[in-house]
């Protein structure tokens, strides 16, 4: 392993809204700097990112590059071949590995070739990659995302027009088709018609305008649904304290970071049974997996009507996050990978 101290340029496709890549890269950059490493974050959303990238690569400040989302990395590798002069780490974040078909993996081939290491969030994704290309065995590293949730003042139900005594189902997600907010609405609507305590609290930015408009129009007719828009990550824990259950209904997922954050506070989960969510919880222990709106209805009804079980599952969820998604461990594993990559590049 190299004794050279890593100096890392982190490249993220997004940074303007509270979404997975944004939070992951900020968290890792902060963790690295707290460990005394040089680390800086560059977003491809910056209008002058190409100028900044050229300046960073020529500055001599960095001895390696860590990019998030392989599809975006492949594009900038073709336009900035000087990236290949640096040890390169690629984290596949979900949308770049979940899309079906050979076309997407074909687009990732330059990344597979150039990267010293490829980071994925769990073993399912590693196995998927290796089934496609077994020669990647030595390159693929599994590093679960760590949970680093800032504390914030607890919010009150009445802050959002929610009656005291409600059972609040949290849905922290951006509004875009892959997040399948319709599944949450379809599953909870019959339960809300049966029990007036049911409330769905949706928080997150509108990412896809067409889908966002569809959801906002739909919930106008659903008085038990509250949409509060995007919430700062520094304030989100205060909203999570309102939750009795957290949900992730995605059709494809890298790792359900927001759901894990709520789980860390003792909130049980209802997760769609898709790669990225699968294998996080044990069905019936920390929450439930669902595939259909009927599944969601049944899981939600159990958690609504059995508060003691809900509390027990929430405690199990908090223990799971503490044991498996440790922030300190995440940063340590990244530093180890960086040092290995620097050692490989010198030989």
């Amino acid at each position: 392993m190299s004794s050279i101290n890593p100096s890392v340029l982190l490249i993220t496709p997004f940074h303007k809204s509270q979404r997975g890549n944004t939070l992951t890269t900020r968290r890792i950059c902060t963790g690295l700097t707290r460990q005394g490493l040089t680390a800086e974050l560059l977003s491809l959303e910056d209008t002058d990112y190409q100028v900044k990238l050229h300046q960073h690569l020529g500055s001599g400040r960095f001895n390696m590059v860590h990019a998030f989302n392989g599809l975006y990395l492949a594009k900038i590798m073709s336009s900035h071949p000087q990236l290949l002069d640096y040890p390169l780490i690629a984290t596949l974040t979900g949308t770049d590995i979940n899309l079906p078909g050979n076309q997407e993996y074909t687009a990732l081939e330059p990344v597979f070739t150039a990267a010293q290491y490829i980071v994925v969030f769990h073993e399912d994704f590693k196995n998927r990659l290796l089934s496609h290309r077994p020669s990647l065995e030595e390159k693929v590293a599994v590093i679960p995302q760590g949970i680093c949730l800032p504390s914030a003042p607890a919010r009150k139900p009445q802050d959002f027009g929610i009656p005291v005594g409600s059972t609040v189902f949290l849905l922290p997600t951006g509004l875009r088709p892959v997040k399948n907010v319709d599944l949450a609405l379809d599953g909870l609507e019959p339960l809300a018609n049966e029990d007036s305590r049911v409330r769905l609290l949706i928080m997150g930015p509108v990412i896809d305008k067409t889908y966002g408009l569809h959801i906002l129009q739909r919930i106008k007719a659903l008085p038990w649904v509250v949409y509060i828009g995007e919430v700062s990550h520094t304030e989100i824990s205060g909203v999570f304290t309102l939750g009795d259950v957290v949900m992730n209904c995605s059709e494809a997922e890298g790792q359900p970071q927001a759901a894990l954050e709520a789980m860390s506070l003792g909130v049980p989960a209802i997760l769609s049974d898709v790669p990225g969510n699968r294998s996080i919880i044990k069905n019936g222990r920390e929450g439930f997996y669902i595939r259909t709106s009927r599944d969601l209805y049944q899981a939600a009804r159990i958690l609504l009507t059995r508060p003691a079980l809900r509390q027990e599952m929430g405690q199990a969820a908090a223990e799971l996050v503490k044991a498996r998604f440790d922030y300190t461990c995440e940063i340590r594993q990244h530093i180890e990978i960086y040092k290995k990559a620097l050692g490989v590049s010198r030989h």
Side-chain angles (χ1 to χ4, degrees):
M1 188 178 295
S2 174
S3 60
I4 299 175
N5 214 27
S7 299
V8 190
L9 175 62
L10 299 122
I11 301 177
T12 178
F14 309 110
H15 77 124
K16 292 182 179 179
S17 59
Q18 302 293 313
R19 53 194 297 176
N21 280 292
T22 306
L23 300 179
T24 296
T25 51
R26 286 178 184 170
R27 182 183 67 251
I28 292 174
C29 189
T30 299
L32 295 175
T33 56
R34 286 176 178 172
Q35 292 299 312
L37 274 65
T38 298
E40 190 163 329
L41 191 57
L42 173 67
S43 171
L44 303 185
E45 284 189 306
D46 292 339
T47 55
D48 60 345
Y49 86 84
Q50 296 193 55
V51 173
K52 289 181 178 178
L53 179 57
H54 180 76
Q55 291 173 342
H56 284 321
L57 294 179
S59 69
R61 292 182 58 220
F62 305 102
N63 56 20
M64 66 187 317
V65 174
H66 184 178
F68 293 75
N69 191 299
L71 294 175
Y72 284 92
L73 173 57
K75 291 177 182 178
I76 62 171
M77 282 170 55
S78 64
S79 60
H80 294 79
Q82 62 268 45
L83 280 168
L84 301 178
D85 296 333
Y86 289 78
L88 187 61
I89 308 295
T91 291
L92 305 186
T93 57
T95 55
D96 47 358
I97 194 172
N98 271 318
L99 297 176
N102 292 325
Q103 181 179 357
E104 287 73 30
Y105 283 149
T106 299
L108 288 174
E109 288 296 338
V111 174
F112 295 158
T113 300
Q116 265 76 23
Y117 289 98
I118 298 164
V119 176
V120 295
F121 296 143
H122 52 78
E123 291 289 339
D124 286 351
F125 285 158
K126 178 179 179 178
N127 293 336
R128 178 181 290 196
L129 279 182
L130 296 184
S131 68
H132 163 72
R133 189 165 165 179
S135 62
L136 293 175
E137 174 73 42
E138 298 300 318
K139 284 191 174 186
V140 180
V142 178
I143 304 180
Q145 295 192 83
I147 297 302
C148 182
L149 184 62
S151 60
R155 302 298 297 271
K156 299 177 181 179
Q158 49 267 43
D159 292 342
F160 306 109
I162 297 173
V164 175
S166 297
T167 299
V168 179
F169 292 80
L170 302 171
L171 186 60
T173 184
L175 302 188
R176 53 180 175 141
V178 72
K179 295 303 181 181
N180 201 11
V181 177
D182 285 293
L183 177 59
L185 300 177
D186 293 343
L188 284 182
E189 186 168 13
L191 189 61
N193 291 335
E194 295 172 10
D195 195 315
S196 62
R197 293 175 297 171
V198 172
R199 290 294 183 275
L200 175 62
L201 181 60
I202 306 173
M203 64 205 81
V206 174
I207 296 174
D208 182 288
K209 291 183 179 179
T210 301
Y211 187 74
L213 180 61
H214 157 69
I215 293 298
L216 295 178
Q217 289 290 343
R218 183 175 176 185
I219 65 177
K220 284 182 179 180
L222 303 174
W224 49 274
V225 181
V226 178
Y227 173 66
I228 61 174
E230 185 171 6
V231 179
S232 167
H233 194 244
T234 59
E235 300 176 357
I236 196 73
S237 66
V239 180
F240 284 160
T241 60
L242 295 175
D244 297 288
V245 181
V246 65
M247 301 195 300
N248 178 293
C249 298
S250 293
E251 295 174 345
E253 186 60 68
Q255 189 170 290
Q257 190 73 0
L260 286 168
E261 289 177 340
M263 289 167 63
S264 75
L265 300 177
V267 181
I270 295 175
L271 306 177
S272 55
D273 186 12
V274 297
N277 285 343
R278 195 175 296 143
S279 301
I280 286 182
I281 63 173
K282 184 175 181 180
N283 198 47
R285 177 172 170 79
E286 298 90 5
F288 296 101
Y289 284 115
I290 55 100
R291 294 184 178 181
T292 66
S293 59
R294 180 65 181 174
D295 292 344
L296 194 153
Y297 164 81
Q298 291 175 334
R301 190 174 189 279
I302 290 171
L303 292 169
L304 171 69
T305 58
R306 299 176 63 183
L309 177 64
R310 190 170 71 227
Q311 184 175 4
E312 179 183 328
M313 285 187 166
Q315 181 60 39
E319 292 171 358
L320 178 148
V321 172
K322 183 178 180 180
R324 290 179 49 195
F325 300 95
D326 180 72
Y327 179 40
T328 301
C329 182
E330 177 191 31
I331 298 304
R332 185 184 70 247
Q333 288 179 287
H334 275 96
I335 294 174
E336 290 172 356
I337 287 290
Y338 295 157
K339 290 185 175 182
K340 287 180 181 179
L342 287 172
V344 169
S345 70
R346 296 173 67 202
H347 290 87

